[in-house]
């Protein structure tokens, strides 16, 4: 079973930056889209950003658009999330997700369409 491995989380002050990385545990694993979700304590998991390799299209939640940038290496199935101008409300466990089937742009924000998930990495933004 392929696992996704996230890294790059940590503690940062308001206004600071972090860069999250995610890669599959198996090099031969291919994906059609990869995404980042997050879950804050006591809240439901929410969509953050996604990228679809075939069209290089990206999607962002309104709460992070303009501050976060998703990018990646399709050949290596690596995805990154550059987070700038961080706010305390960005504090959450961030999860990487991947799909290796057919995925529409409209579905990219829905967690249930992704078949593979990472263990999560904690991001804490202090005020």
């Amino acid at each position: 079973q392929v696992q996704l491995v996230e890294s790059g989380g940590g503690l940062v002050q308001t206004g600071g930056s972090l860069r999250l990385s995610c890669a599959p545990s198996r090099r031969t694993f291919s994906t059609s889209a990869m995404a980042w979700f997050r879950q804050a304590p006591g809240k439901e998991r929410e969509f953050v950003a996604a990228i679809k390799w075939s069209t290089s299209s990206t999607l962002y939640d309104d709460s992070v658009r303009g501050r976060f940038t998703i990018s990646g290496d399709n050949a290596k199935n690596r995805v990154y999330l550059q987070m700038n101008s961080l706010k305390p409300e960005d504090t959450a466990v961030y999860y990487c997700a991947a799909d290796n089937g057919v995925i529409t742009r409209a579905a990219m924000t829905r967690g249930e369409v992704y078949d593979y998930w990472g263990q999560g990495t904690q991001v804490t933004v202090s005020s």
Side-chain angles (χ1 to χ4, degrees):
Q1 179 71 7
V2 174
Q3 292 182 334
L4 300 177
V5 181
E6 304 104 333
S7 62
L11 173 64
V12 65
Q13 292 185 332
T14 296
S17 298
L18 284 174
R19 187 184 190 228
L20 305 183
S21 299
C22 172
S25 59
R26 195 174 74 201
R27 285 192 134 188
T28 56
F29 179 67
S30 64
T31 60
S32 55
M34 298 185 76
W36 291 96
F37 289 77
R38 67 186 180 185
Q39 187 168 20
K43 295 187 177 182
E44 293 186 354
R45 184 184 64 195
E46 63 179 10
F47 169 77
V48 176
I51 185 167
K52 184 175 180 181
W53 300 124
S54 63
T55 58
S56 298
S57 62
T58 57
L59 281 176
Y60 295 94
D61 183 76
D62 288 344
S63 65
V64 306
R65 186 175 291 112
R67 301 187 297 121
F68 292 10
T69 302
I70 188 169
S71 62
D73 184 333
N74 188 7
K76 297 181 179 179
N77 291 299
R78 287 181 178 269
V79 67
Y80 309 100
L81 186 68
Q82 178 66 42
M83 305 185 295
N84 298 329
S85 301
L86 283 161
K87 305 174 182 180
E89 50 263 45
D90 294 319
T91 295
V93 177
Y94 283 71
Y95 297 92
C96 175
D99 182 77
N100 61 357
V102 177
I103 184 170
T104 64
R105 180 177 173 86
M108 288 168 63
T109 63
R110 294 163 43 197
E112 61 267 29
V113 306
Y114 294 91
D115 297 321
Y116 303 92
W117 291 82
Q119 296 292 326
T121 184
Q122 177 70 47
V123 171
T124 303
V125 184
S126 64
S127 56

